[in-house]
Amino acid sequence: MLEVKNATITIGGKTLAERLSFMAKDGQLTCITGDEGVGKTTLLRTLMGFLPVADGFVSVDGELLTIDSSQAFRCLMVYLPQEMRSLAHQLNEPSWPESEAVEYAVWNQLLPRACKEEQPEPLTPEEIFRLTEKTLSEGSGKPIIIADEPAAFLPSDLTLRMLELLRSEAAGGKTVLVASRKPQFIDYADQVIHLKRL
């Protein structure tokens, strides 16, 4: 379970959320939605401990999430980035141990790069879905799933399959948080958090 209590989130001197409170419970799919640029991805980064709250707190199963404790808490999380191509190497045989590859792909892709890297080719919708299934399967022991616009590049049929996949993970007792503007996710989430511009 993730709890956000009276949280104020700022980035670059701009306040994106003020006194935000909600609980994302085990066994539920929570959808975070709002207009483009309102701060959905920033909120997800905060929930993973990459950004501190300016006020209030975030907790995981009752334990306070801080920048110092975040690495341990991220071991409990499966992260599905909007740009799933950053995990594309998992569709092939890994050239280094799988656990190291997953850690590198998931967490280091979120951090700024010192040099420019060659971007992999875009994935097809089918590859995105297959890669999502594989990532969730490899993280089956982790109780929290955080997905950033998982259906952004999917047609309607695969969007519904993605929704079903994530709802089945929630039905298995996991905490599932999804940032999405897709009506299917908003309509069928157990809880919807609407972020608004301040």
Side-chain angles (χ1 to χ4, degrees):
M1 180 181 72
L2 276 166
E3 181 178 8
V4 178
K5 185 72 172 176
N6 293 328
T8 297
I9 300 171
T10 62
I11 186 166
K14 180 182 178 184
T15 300
L16 297 177
E18 194 167 34
R19 299 187 62 78
L20 179 66
S21 295
F22 68 90
M23 291 177 66
K25 297 179 180 178
D26 299 344
Q28 291 188 348
L29 188 152
T30 297
C31 179
I32 299 163
T33 192
D35 294 338
E36 187 173 348
V38 79
K40 297 184 295 297
T41 297
T42 300
L43 176 56
L44 295 186
R45 288 172 61 88
T46 301
L47 297 178
M48 292 185 287
F50 287 110
L51 298 171
V53 291
D55 197 13
F57 68 84
V58 176
S59 66
V60 180
D61 291 335
E63 298 289 330
L64 197 62
L65 174 66
T66 66
I67 295 295
D68 292 334
S69 67
S70 62
Q71 186 171 358
F73 283 122
R74 284 196 291 272
C75 292
L76 305 174
M77 301 175 182
V78 174
Y79 176 55
L80 302 172
Q82 183 174 353
E83 290 291 340
M84 285 294 286
R85 64 183 183 178
S86 63
L87 306 182
H89 67 277
Q90 293 187 68
L91 292 173
N92 306 309
E93 289 299 317
S95 57
W96 56 69
E98 194 168 308
S99 61
E100 184 181 337
V102 170
E103 281 298 309
Y104 179 85
V106 173
W107 303 120
N108 287 331
Q109 285 292 335
L110 292 170
L111 303 177
R113 296 294 183 170
C115 59
K116 207 171 186 180
E117 289 189 352
E118 186 177 331
Q119 291 295 315
E121 289 295 315
L123 299 175
T124 66
E126 291 76 17
E127 286 174 326
I128 291 172
F129 187 80
R130 194 156 48 93
L131 186 50
T132 299
E133 287 183 310
K134 183 172 173 43
T135 303
L136 291 173
S137 175
E138 290 172 351
S140 60
K142 299 183 178 185
I144 299 171
I145 297 168
I146 296 181
D148 191 359
E149 299 281 3
F153 304 108
L154 301 183
S156 58
D157 61 324
L158 282 177
T159 294
L160 289 174
R161 287 179 62 192
M162 180 72 76
L163 174 61
E164 290 168 3
L165 180 63
L166 292 171
R167 282 188 61 83
S168 71
E169 293 285 334
K174 296 190 178 187
T175 299
V176 180
L177 287 104
V178 177
S180 180
R181 293 187 295 153
K182 292 256 183 171
Q184 296 94 328
F185 281 88
I186 296 168
D187 292 343
Y188 291 99
D190 297 297
Q191 174 180 218
V192 179
I193 309 300
H194 289 272
L195 297 183
K196 297 179 181 178
R197 294 186 192 280
L198 296 181

